[in-house]
Amino acid sequence: LTPTGPAIVNVPDPISCEGTKTYSWTYSNNWGSQTWNFVYTIERLDFTVPANGAAQVACPALAMQPTPPMVADNCGSLLSPTGPAIVNVPDPLTCEGTKTYTWTYTDCEGNTHDWSFTYTIERIDFAVPANGAATVACPALATQPVPPVVLSNCGETITPTGPVIVYAPDPLTCEGTKTYQWTYTDCEGNSHPWSFVYTIERLDFTVPANGAATVACPALATQPTPPVVLSNCGEVITPTGPAIVNVPNPLTCEGTRTYQWTYTDCEGNSHPWSFVYTIERLPFTVPANGAATVACPAQATQPAPPVVLSNCGEVIAPTGPAIVNVPNPLTCEGTRTYTWTYTDCEGNSAQWSFVYTVERLPFTVPANGGATVACPDDTDIQPAPPVVLSNCGEVLTPVATSTAKPACEGNRNWNFTYTDCEGNTATWTFTYTVEYQDFTVPASVTETLECPLIEGIPVPPVVYDNCGKLLAPIGPVITSTDNPFGCEGSRTYAWTYKDCEGNAHVWSYTYNFAYSADFFAPADEVFPVGCVLYAVAPFPPDVWDICGNLIKVSGPVMTEEIGEGGCMGIRTFTFTYHDCGGHSHDWVYTYLINDDVPPVGTCLDIDVTDLGCIEEVPCPQTYDFTEKTKELLNADGIYDYCSGTDLVVTLDSWTALWQCSDADGDGVYTFGRTFYFRIADQCGNEFPEVCSVTYSGECQPLATFPQGAWGLPGEGGNPNIDLSVVQTLLDMGLFVVGGGNRSLTLTEAQCVADLLPGVSVPSVLANCHQLNCTGCNPVEPGGMKNVLAANAIALTLNIRYNVKYNGLTMLDIRNQGLDCIEMDPVTISNIRVCFGGNCMFRIWDANGNQYTFPYTIGGLLDLTNLYLNGNLNLTMGQSGVIATALNEALKRVNGYWDGAPAPGSCDPGAGAAPIEGAASKALPTGKPGAAIVEFSLAPNPAGREVTFKLEELAESQAVTLEIHSYLGQLLLRKEFGQVRSVNERIDLSGIGNGLYTVSVKAGQQRFEKKLVIVK
């Protein structure tokens, strides 16, 4: 049989040391089975350890723990010993002895054995350094040295005993030796000495350099104090001396005097020190030289010389004096010097002088003289000068000169100059004063004539001054006087005679004019005119009298007889002429007046196109057209020959009101009404045409997203979106969307779509947001219904993506501001937005793509809350509540408009037929006719600039381009001249992103296009 097995049984299990291990096999056949076992009994045997270890070392520190041997049990398993146990003998072991380490090995059965390692410590002797020595100059320098550091053989520091000090000789005062000795002993008793020996060897000393001085006199060479000298070890040495030596001897004037001392120390070193005086006589000084200034040589007498001492005080007797005159002989001015010489014992010499300076003093002259004469020639006589002496009494001879003779009045000086030998000068002057006398002229003349035309210029007489000089007359000066009638009554010619002194006299010749003859007056005139305005004062004709003078005219005096309104009558102007002789005549000018001419000009109709609401269109019965008719007259240039612009304007008729009409098919929807006016002058003469004023405004279109263009299918609401915030954004204007429960993906193209959900044609609404349009200008209900419906549909959006601004969700930015561009912000529904301006709104989709959209506030107001009475209880993320709100909103909107009363109509005058006589100008029934001009904008959408091109123009006229916001706000205006084509680049840098209207005006035509700006 083939057994199965074995089955293994361990006791214990597992077997780690001793036990039994049984192997079992099973044999089986059809009749049964039996088991066969084999049992192992494990019994551990004892193990052995190696012999104990031993070693001898010199120091306890070298008895380091050894590594115990590797020991295996009887089965070959390595045993981990316990220990070591350490035994020191002696304990503690500090010097010599034994140190034993013991480990115990134990196997798993419990067999144990010890293993030991014993160290024997035997100290070795130590060594000390060689003895020290030094040589010093003085005992005080043999100071105790520091003994060396000595270690035992095991490295311990041994502390020495000592020192013991030995002197040789003793006591040690000058030279010898000084020894210091210490003893070192270790713990085992080994001992060694160490010594340091100083040898004292005296060094020689030094004395200072010998002294010296130079004095001026022997008495100043007194004994000096010798210097303090120290031995080389610092002891003070007392000198012997002094010995004194004089050279020459005796010493009376100049020479040397020496003082000498000797210094010796304890060792016998010796040195002398001396001080030498050198007597050197110094030069003596004399007083400063004397000096004096005298006026004459006789006053320079010999002075007394001063007393002078040598430098050592002896009185020195001078030699002299030597006398020097400069110049020689000294007769006028110069110097006289007296000089003495002084000499001392050494031969030093000095001189002393006294210098007289002879300086002549100025002399004086008598007071100047003078006389007065009548003419310049009287000054030619030379006067007699006075006698003048010099300061020393000599008689001086003068030199005579004179100044120029005066031409008229003035002074002439005769100068006499006196000079002495030194050159001092003085002048005596005699002055002639010339004083002119007055002269006379003949008597003036007067003559009478008829007219100024026959008078002649007279000849002035010959006149001489008082000294006989011929005088030239100055003039004539012509003066006139008027007679009582304002003409020249007299004329005077005057000449002035003036001599050189300024004496003056006038001689004149006077003509008196009579004007005795009368003049001839012109004939009266009559002139017909059409307007009383033209009957203005005429210019009177020029009339001359018999003397050829233009006669003065006064007036006019106006008289008139004119009918009411100033249309017919007579107006007379009377002028009066007065001549110089008192004669007078009238001249009369008469106007015949008859006004029958109508006003003239061009009837250029006015468009008022900036109305914001249909309610602003005037009603004929209540509107004041005064200011607008003034504007009409100014714009049209209508003028009457008689009344000018003072014309009578009357409202004639008006058209029916049009609402949201695109009569010319240019895609711009307008509302408005046209009024027609007749113009006449004050006399009833009518202007041949009827002029118009059109009031209109542009309807606000709804820019929305086309239905079905939202992108991904909806997957329910997002509870993180605050729908009240989304509602506010959507109700601001451009973000009006619809399409049911769909997800929203905003793209650039969808921002400019213009179809409402479910509407197949463009829907344009009048921007009159009022509940009841029953006034003069009713609003059709269809547009307002679409506004309310669009706002309600906007509330049904299930927004798929979080709308973020700068990384925050819309829920996070409540009470925060959105980016605004250009316009001041206001707060709407806790979100900062721009009222009427251009703003930016950024959206990030689920993939992180950013979309930037312009929007304009105010195009669509938050009408849903207004018309649904505030019943909008939306909850975030609950689509059922949203759907309920939508249904309720649509129901209320439809119910209101279906049951609304019929709007009121305007007064019966609306839509009246044209009046008779107005056939020259057809009355339009709507907006002016279709444009005949095309223009283009490229690129569109545009970035920071756009090119404007005018394609066609019927006639040359001014062109104006304007860019308006979505709400009609004017953002840019550019005017061009008289052109047929324009190709201009328009700067858009000041306008933000958005949808805008570009309006081009050429004359009375206006053309518009949409422009998208994306930067």
Side-chain angles (χ1 to χ4, degrees):
L1 299 175
T2 300
T4 60
I8 302 172
V9 177
N10 293 317
V11 179
D13 190 10
I15 300 173
S16 59
C17 188
E18 291 183 332
T20 61
K21 186 170 189 174
T22 303
Y23 292 86
S24 298
W25 284 268
T26 300
Y27 295 85
S28 301
N29 61 16
N30 292 333
W31 296 275
S33 64
Q34 291 193 18
T35 301
W36 180 80
N37 299 320
F38 189 93
V39 180
Y40 285 100
T41 300
I42 296 94
E43 182 65 34
R44 289 275 179 168
L45 300 179
D46 198 4
F47 63 95
T48 61
V49 296
N52 291 333
Q56 180 174 317
V57 293
C59 305
L62 299 177
M64 296 180 292
Q65 178 177 311
T67 302
M70 296 178 63
V71 176
D73 64 9
N74 189 62
C75 291
S77 299
L78 288 176
L79 300 178
S80 297
T82 60
I86 302 173
V87 177
N88 293 316
V89 179
D91 192 9
L93 182 60
T94 59
C95 190
E96 290 184 334
T98 61
K99 186 170 191 176
T100 302
Y101 293 87
T102 300
W103 282 268
T104 299
Y105 293 84
T106 304
D107 65 7
C108 63
E109 197 273 339
N111 299 307
T112 65
H113 297 282
D114 291 336
W115 183 84
S116 300
F117 193 97
T118 301
Y119 286 101
T120 300
I121 295 92
E122 181 63 36
R123 286 276 178 168
I124 298 175
D125 195 7
F126 65 94
V128 295
N131 291 331
T135 298
V136 293
C138 304
L141 300 177
T143 58
Q144 179 176 312
V146 177
V149 175
V150 176
L151 302 178
S152 71
N153 187 66
C154 291
E156 301 99 339
T157 299
I158 301 174
T159 302
T161 60
V164 175
I165 304 174
V166 178
Y167 298 96
D170 191 7
L172 182 61
T173 59
C174 192
E175 291 185 335
T177 62
K178 185 176 184 180
T179 302
Y180 293 85
Q181 182 174 303
W182 284 268
T183 300
Y184 294 84
T185 304
D186 67 7
C187 65
E188 197 270 341
N190 298 310
S191 180
H192 299 281
W194 184 83
S195 300
F196 193 95
V197 179
Y198 283 105
T199 299
I200 294 89
E201 180 65 36
R202 284 274 179 168
L203 299 179
D204 196 5
F205 65 93
T206 59
V207 293
N210 291 331
T214 299
V215 294
C217 304
L220 299 176
T222 59
Q223 179 176 313
T225 300
V228 175
V229 176
L230 302 177
S231 70
N232 187 66
C233 291
E235 301 97 342
V236 175
I237 301 174
T238 302
T240 59
I244 302 172
V245 176
N246 291 320
V247 176
N249 194 9
L251 184 60
T252 57
C253 189
E254 288 187 339
T256 62
R257 177 174 289 169
T258 302
Y259 294 84
Q260 183 172 301
W261 286 266
T262 300
Y263 293 84
T264 304
D265 67 4
C266 69
E267 198 268 342
N269 297 311
S270 181
H271 297 284
W273 182 85
S274 59
F275 192 95
V276 178
Y277 283 103
T278 299
I279 294 86
E280 179 66 39
R281 286 273 181 168
L282 297 178
F284 58 90
T285 58
V286 295
N289 290 331
T293 299
V294 294
C296 302
Q299 296 171 336
T301 59
Q302 178 176 320
V307 175
V308 175
L309 302 178
S310 71
N311 189 65
C312 292
E314 300 97 342
V315 175
I316 301 174
T319 59
I323 303 172
V324 177
N325 291 319
V326 178
N328 194 12
L330 183 60
T331 58
C332 186
E333 282 190 341
T335 60
R336 175 171 291 165
T337 302
Y338 294 85
T339 301
W340 284 266
T341 299
Y342 295 82
T343 304
D344 65 7
C345 69
E346 194 270 342
N348 294 313
S349 180
Q351 289 183 335
W352 182 85
S353 298
F354 192 96
V355 179
Y356 283 102
T357 299
V358 181
E359 179 65 37
R360 288 273 181 166
L361 296 179
F363 56 91
T364 60
V365 294
N368 293 330
T372 300
V373 296
C375 297
D377 292 342
D378 296 338
T379 66
D380 291 338
I381 301 173
Q382 178 175 323
V387 175
V388 176
L389 300 178
S390 72
N391 188 62
C392 292
E394 299 97 339
V395 176
L396 303 178
T397 301
V399 176
T401 61
S402 70
T403 60
K405 180 167 54 179
C408 184
E409 284 190 338
N411 294 331
R412 184 177 184 181
N413 294 330
W414 280 90
N415 299 314
F416 296 86
T417 301
Y418 298 82
T419 304
D420 63 9
C421 66
E422 192 270 343
N424 294 314
T425 63
T427 301
W428 182 82
T429 301
F430 189 92
T431 301
Y432 284 106
T433 301
V434 180
E435 183 63 41
Y436 246 71
Q437 303 296 322
D438 198 4
F439 63 93
T440 60
V441 296
S444 296
V445 178
T446 300
E447 181 182 1
T448 299
L449 300 176
E450 175 66 19
C451 297
L453 296 176
I454 60 176
E455 60 87 20
I457 299 177
V459 177
V462 176
V463 177
Y464 296 92
D465 69 6
N466 185 68
C467 289
K469 292 182 179 180
L470 180 64
L471 300 180
I474 302 171
V477 175
I478 304 173
T479 58
S480 296
T481 58
D482 291 342
N483 64 14
F485 308 106
C487 294
E488 184 180 16
S490 66
R491 183 181 299 168
T492 300
Y493 294 86
W495 283 265
T496 299
Y497 294 85
K498 184 180 296 185
D499 65 10
C500 64
E501 192 270 343
N503 298 308
H505 297 283
V506 176
W507 182 86
S508 64
Y509 198 104
T510 301
Y511 292 102
N512 293 323
F513 304 116
Y515 299 107
S516 59
D518 196 1
F519 65 93
F520 297 96
D524 296 339
E525 296 185 30
V526 177
F527 189 77
V529 294
C531 306
V532 69
L533 296 177
Y534 293 156
V536 296
F539 291 102
D542 290 334
V543 178
W544 289 267
D545 64 11
I546 63 168
C547 292
N549 297 317
L550 184 66
I551 299 176
K552 296 180 180 179
V553 59
S554 62
V557 175
M558 186 187 74
T559 60
E560 62 181 19
E561 297 180 6
I562 299 175
E564 185 177 356
C567 299
M568 296 184 66
I570 297 175
R571 177 175 290 173
T572 299
F573 295 91
T574 300
F575 297 87
T576 301
Y577 292 86
H578 301 274
D579 73 358
C580 297
H583 310 102
S584 177
H585 299 282
D586 290 337
W587 180 75
V588 180
Y589 194 92
T590 302
Y591 285 104
L592 303 179
I593 301 167
N594 182 22
D595 184 1
D596 58 357
V597 179
V600 296
T602 303
C603 192
L604 300 177
D605 297 332
I606 295 177
D607 279 342
V608 182
T609 61
D610 57 353
L611 300 185
C613 177
I614 199 169
E615 279 294 298
E616 298 176 22
V617 177
C619 288
Q621 292 78 14
T622 59
Y623 188 71
D624 184 2
F625 288 97
T626 302
E627 293 302 320
K628 191 54 62 179
T629 55
K630 290 180 181 179
E631 181 182 344
L632 181 144
L633 293 175
N634 291 334
D636 291 352
I638 298 176
Y639 179 84
D640 185 70
Y641 290 112
C642 295
S643 60
T645 58
D646 186 16
L647 302 175
V648 178
V649 181
T650 56
L651 178 62
D652 182 77
S653 59
W654 52 90
T655 65
L657 180 71
W658 72 84
Q659 303 179 37
C660 295
S661 172
D662 185 15
D664 55 7
D666 63 354
V668 179
Y669 290 77
T670 61
F671 59 86
R673 172 181 280 131
T674 300
F675 296 86
Y676 296 95
F677 298 88
R678 291 194 178 276
I679 302 173
D681 65 10
Q682 302 296 326
C683 295
N685 302 306
E686 280 197 351
F687 183 67
E689 298 182 52
V690 177
C691 300
S692 68
V693 177
T694 299
Y695 293 84
S696 65
E698 185 176 325
C699 300
Q700 289 292 338
L702 277 174
T704 66
F705 297 99
Q707 186 175 5
W710 312 126
L712 301 176
E715 297 180 1
N718 188 332
N720 293 325
I721 298 302
D722 187 339
L723 291 181
S724 64
V725 177
V726 176
Q727 171 201 340
T728 303
L729 289 175
L730 296 174
D731 287 346
M732 287 175 185
L734 288 177
F735 292 101
V736 177
V737 298
N741 187 16
R742 295 179 181 272
S743 298
L744 175 61
T745 301
L746 298 177
T747 66
E748 211 63 59
Q750 291 166 346
C751 284
V752 297
D754 59 0
L755 294 178
L756 280 173
V759 181
S760 59
V761 296
S763 174
V764 182
L765 311 178
N767 56 350
C768 299
H769 304 314
Q770 53 220 15
L771 181 59
N772 186 1
C773 291
T774 58
C776 170
N777 304 316
V779 179
E780 296 178 358
M784 188 58 65
K785 177 178 178 181
N786 284 335
V787 173
L788 294 176
N791 279 271
I793 291 172
L795 299 179
T796 68
L797 291 176
N798 240 338
I799 306 299
R800 175 180 176 84
Y801 304 124
N802 286 337
V803 179
K804 293 184 178 180
Y805 171 72
N806 287 348
L808 302 176
T809 65
M810 293 303 298
L811 187 60
D812 296 327
I813 65 170
R814 291 183 67 106
N815 302 318
Q816 295 192 31
L818 295 177
D819 281 348
C820 284
I821 300 175
E822 297 181 354
M823 303 300 291
D824 293 332
V826 297
T827 300
I828 299 178
S829 299
N830 294 327
I831 297 180
R832 189 165 293 280
V833 297
C834 294
F835 179 78
N838 302 312
C839 295
M840 302 299 299
F841 178 48
R842 297 184 178 92
I843 295 179
W844 285 261
D845 63 19
N847 297 323
N849 299 314
Q850 175 181 316
Y851 301 95
T852 302
F853 301 99
Y855 64 86
T856 304
I857 307 306
L860 293 173
L861 302 181
D862 188 4
L863 299 176
T864 307
N865 279 325
L866 174 64
Y867 288 103
L868 301 185
N869 298 320
N871 296 325
L872 294 176
N873 300 316
L874 298 180
T875 302
M876 294 183 297
Q878 298 181 4
S879 59
V881 176
I882 297 174
T884 302
L886 168 63
N887 294 332
E888 181 67 19
L890 293 177
K891 180 167 64 177
R892 289 176 179 263
V893 171
N894 291 330
Y896 170 76
W897 288 110
D898 290 345
S905 61
C906 287
D907 67 89
I915 61 173
E916 293 184 7
S920 60
K921 185 174 183 69
L923 299 182
T925 58
K927 185 183 175 184
I932 59 173
V933 174
E934 289 294 334
F935 72 92
S936 61
L937 298 169
N940 189 5
R944 296 189 177 275
E945 62 181 12
V946 65
T947 299
F948 159 65
K949 184 175 183 181
L950 190 64
E951 305 293 346
E952 181 181 352
L953 190 64
E955 57 180 325
S956 296
Q957 49 191 317
V959 174
T960 301
L961 179 144
E962 295 178 347
I963 298 180
H964 294 264
S965 70
Y966 193 72
L967 297 180
Q969 178 188 13
L970 179 61
L971 303 178
L972 184 147
R973 177 183 177 89
K974 186 175 181 65
E975 295 183 354
F976 305 96
Q978 302 284 335
V979 297
R980 285 192 176 274
S981 64
V982 176
N983 192 345
E984 288 283 341
R985 301 185 76 81
I986 309 300
D987 184 9
L988 304 177
S989 59
I991 306 177
N993 290 1
L995 177 63
Y996 300 90
T997 300
V998 179
S999 175
V1000 174
K1001 295 181 180 179
Q1004 293 299 299
Q1005 303 177 76
R1006 181 171 62 88
F1007 326 102
E1008 292 182 348
K1009 287 185 183 297
K1010 294 292 187 279
L1011 172 64
V1012 177
I1013 299 177
V1014 180
K1015 297 180 180 177

